Amino acid sequence: MSVQPVGSHRHRVVVIGSGFGGLFATQALKRADVDVVLIARTSHHLFQPLLYQVATGILSVGDIAPATRMVLRKQKNAQVLLGDVEAIDIDAQTVSSRFLDRITITEFDSLIVAAGAGQSYFGNDHFAEYAPGMKTIDDALELRGRILGAFEQAELSDDHDERARLLTFVVVGAGPTGVELAGQIAELSRRTLKGAFRHIDPTEARVVLLDGAPDVLPVYGGKLSRKARGTLERLGVEIQLGAMVTGVDAEGLTVKDKDGTERRIESQCKVWSAGVAASPLGKQLADQSGAGIDRAGRVEVQPDLSLPGHPNVFVIGDMMSLDKLPGLAQVAMQGGKYAAQQIVAGLDGQDPAQRKPFKYFDKGSMATISRFSAVAKVGKLEISGFIGWIAWLFVHLLYLVGFSSKLSTLLSWAQAFFSTGRNEMAATEQQVFARIAIDRLREHTEAADGGTGAAREAG
Ligand SMILES: Cc1cc2nc3c(=O)[nH]c(=O)nc-3n(C[C@H](O)[C@H](O)[C@H](O)COP(=O)(O)OP(=O)(O)OC[C@H]3O[C@@H](n4cnc5c(N)ncnc54)[C@H](O)[C@@H]3O)c2cc1C
C-alpha cells in the first residue's frame, strides 16, 4: 500500500473520474491555488456520445478517447492517477484506489466525485453476457467485432435459419443511444457492406429496435419522436414498442408484448441500451453522509451539489440526483465547473452557507438517426432532418477534446458520410471474447482463492 503525497500545504482536491464531470472540474481549477489529483479507472477521457460510431466502424478509439494525462499535461497543479476507487472515507478524508494489486490512499481537503454510471439490467444482470451495454471503449470495440463477426459467420453458413439469426441485430432501448446505434447498424448493412459478400446480401439484415415504452426517443416526445421513427423506418429499422425483454440467451431474446403474449426473436447480436445505474461509490457516500439515494443509485445532493454535513464533498454528473436533471454531458460539465468554483470561493473565505445553488443552463439535446438526419431540441425550438444534423455535427465537434481529435473525426466523417466507406472496419478476436474470458478467469480465480479478488491482476 502507498500513501500518495499531495503537495505539502496547499489545499488538496481529489477528483474521481476523468469523464465530462471530472475533467471539466479539474480544468476549472487550473488557476486555483490548489493541488489536484484526478483518479480514474481508465487512462482516457471518453466522449461517450460518439461511442456508437466506434462500434459501427466510423471513428477510431483515439478520436473520442484522448489520454487524460496528455490533456492535462500543461496543467501544472494537476496530477493524474490510474486506479479503481474502492473506498471513500469522508470523515478521515481519504480515497483508496487500486491498480492491479497496488492500493493507494490519497488524502483530500475537498473531494469531487464524478464516477458516472454503468448499464442497468433492471435486476437481470445475467442478460449482460449475451447483450452487453455501450458505456466503455471495450464495449464499443466488442460490439464492432460482434456486428462484423455476425456478417462473417452468415457468409459461411448454408443453413437458412442460422443465416437469418446471424443477420438479425437487436438493439434494446429506444433512447438516444439505441436510436443512433440502430440507425448506424442499418446504414452499415445497407450502404457500407453492400456488395462486399458473395453468399449473403448484407442489405437484407434485419435491425430491430425494441423498447417497453410507447415511442422512440420518449424524452423528446411528439413531433421529434415521430420524425425519428419515420427516418428509422425508411432506413429499414423494425421498431417494436411496448415490448419487454424477459430473457436473453446466446441464440436470441424472449419478449413480452403489451397483451401479455411471449415470443422469441432469434438473434446472434444483441445490444443493451435500456437503463443506467450510478456508480456503486454513490451508495458508500450516501451511507456515510445520510444522503438519500434514488432508484438508479444516484446520490440526492444538496442544492450546492455537496453531501449533507460535508460541504467539502461534491457529487456531480451521472452520479447525482437533483431537481430531476437528466444524465447528460452538459449537466456533468456544468456541475464540475460549479464545484470547482465553490472550492475556490471557500479558499477566498466564503462560508459554505452562502453558496448560491447550482443552476443548470439547458443548452438542449440532440440525437442523430442517420447521416444527414438528426433531431434536436433547444428550449422550445425543435429541429430535425438536415438542419438538425448540421447542428449535431457542430456541437459534437465543439465538445470533442483536443484539436487533433476534432480534425481526425472530421476526416473520418467526411469519408463515412460522403462515400460508402468507413475507416475503422477491423475487429480482433480479443475484442470479441476478452470480456467473457476475463469474467470467467475472475470467477475461477476468486473461487480458487476464496473470493479475495486476486483475479483482478488479470484485468
Ligand atoms: C453511449 C452513450 C451516449 C451518450 N450520448 C449523449 C449525448 O448525445 N448527449 C449527452 O449530453 N449525453 C450523452 N450521454 C451521457 C453522457 O455521456 C453522460 O451524462 C456523461 O458522460 C456523464 O459524465 P460523468 O462525468 O458524470 O461520468 P462519465 O463521463 O461516465 O465519467 C465517469 C468516469 O469515472 C471513472 N470511474 C468510474 N468508476 C470509477 C471508480 N470506481 N474509480 C475510478 N474511476 C471510476 C470512469 O473511468 C470515467 O472516467 C451518453 C452516454 C452514453 C453511455
Side-chain angles (χ1 to χ4, degrees), residues 364-380:
S365 53
M366 44 186 54
T368 37
I369 303 149
S370 64
R371 75 193 177 115
F372 308 141
S373 178
V375 291
K377 196 168 183 172
V378 186
K380 289 200 171 129

Side-chain angles (χ1 to χ4, degrees), residues 271-292:
V271 54
W272 192 269
S273 67
V276 291
S279 159
L281 292 176
K283 179 155 181 354
Q284 278 190 31
L285 295 171
D287 289 347
Q288 290 177 40
S289 66

Side-chain angles (χ1 to χ4, degrees), residues 217-444:
L217 294 179
V219 286
Y220 291 80
K223 193 176 89 184
L224 289 185
S225 289
R226 283 196 301 280
K227 291 238 177 197
R229 188 177 178 159
T231 310
L232 284 168
E233 283 172 344
R234 279 193 294 283
L235 274 174
V237 175
E238 231 177 88
I239 296 170
Q240 302 185 5
L241 298 166
M244 300 295 291
V245 175
T246 54
V248 181
D249 53 54
E251 312 278 291
L253 311 93
T254 311
V255 176
K256 194 177 197 174
D257 285 317
K258 265 191 302 210
D259 61 5
T261 51
E262 282 207 323
R263 62 193 164 87
R264 283 280 298 173
I265 304 177
E266 300 301 324
S267 161
Q268 164 105 346
C269 184
K270 287 104 25 196
V271 54
W272 192 269
S273 67
V276 291
S279 159
L281 292 176
K283 179 155 181 354
Q284 278 190 31
L285 295 171
D287 289 347
Q288 290 177 40
S289 66
I293 206 153
D294 72 7
R295 275 175 33 184
R298 296 181 306 171
V299 183
E300 288 164 6
V301 292
Q302 303 294 296
D304 64 355
L305 312 188
S306 71
L307 291 178
H310 295 271
N312 61 329
V313 180
F314 299 87
V315 182
I316 61 168
D318 282 5
M319 279 187 73
M320 75 172 196
S321 169
L322 179 74
D323 300 338
K324 298 203 168 86
L325 288 175
L328 289 176
Q330 273 297 334
V331 175
M333 290 190 262
Q334 292 178 30
K337 283 187 193 164
Y338 171 89
Q341 281 161 3
Q342 306 320 305
I343 291 170
V344 173
L347 294 177
D348 292 342
Q350 189 199 55
D351 189 312
Q354 295 169 330
R355 287 176 186 165
K356 285 194 184 135
F358 172 66
K359 215 162 179 288
Y360 172 59
F361 176 59
D362 186 357
K363 295 185 179 172
S365 53
M366 44 186 54
T368 37
I369 303 149
S370 64
R371 75 193 177 115
F372 308 141
S373 178
V375 291
K377 196 168 183 172
V378 186
K380 289 200 171 129
L381 182 69
E382 296 188 340
I383 318 171
S384 59
F386 186 66
I387 298 173
W389 185 77
I390 293 289
W392 170 88
L393 202 81
F394 176 73
V395 167
H396 282 71
L397 268 186
L398 191 69
Y399 285 107
L400 266 175
V401 172
F403 177 74
S404 65
S405 298
K406 291 181 205 286
L407 190 68
S408 60
T409 298
L410 202 58
L411 290 174
S412 299
W413 280 349
Q415 157 95 346
F417 299 144
F418 296 107
S419 79
T420 55
R422 293 184 182 206
N423 280 339
E424 303 294 329
M425 296 288 284
T428 70
E429 204 175 351
Q430 283 191 19
Q431 287 168 2
V432 181
F433 297 111
R435 176 180 60 99
I436 293 170
I438 290 170
D439 282 351
R440 295 211 173 131
L441 180 64
R442 189 169 287 148
E443 280 164 24
H444 182 75

Side-chain angles (χ1 to χ4, degrees), residues 16-22 39-42 44 48-49 51 83-85 114-117 134-135 177 279 281 316-318 327-330 332 366 396:
I16 302 176
S18 59
F20 286 106
I39 310 173
R41 63 155 64 123
T42 48
H44 51 262
Q48 285 180 338
L51 265 179
D84 199 336
V85 173
M134 254 260 297
K135 287 278 177 193
T177 303
S279 159
L281 292 176
I316 61 168
D318 282 5
L328 289 176
Q330 273 297 334
M366 44 186 54
H396 282 71

Side-chain angles (χ1 to χ4, degrees), residues 20 23 47 52 61 86 176 184 254 303 335 340 377 385 427 430 433:
F20 286 106
L23 185 67
F47 194 92
Y52 76 99
V61 171
E86 295 183 329
Q184 277 311 316
T254 311
K377 196 168 183 172
Q430 283 191 19
F433 297 111

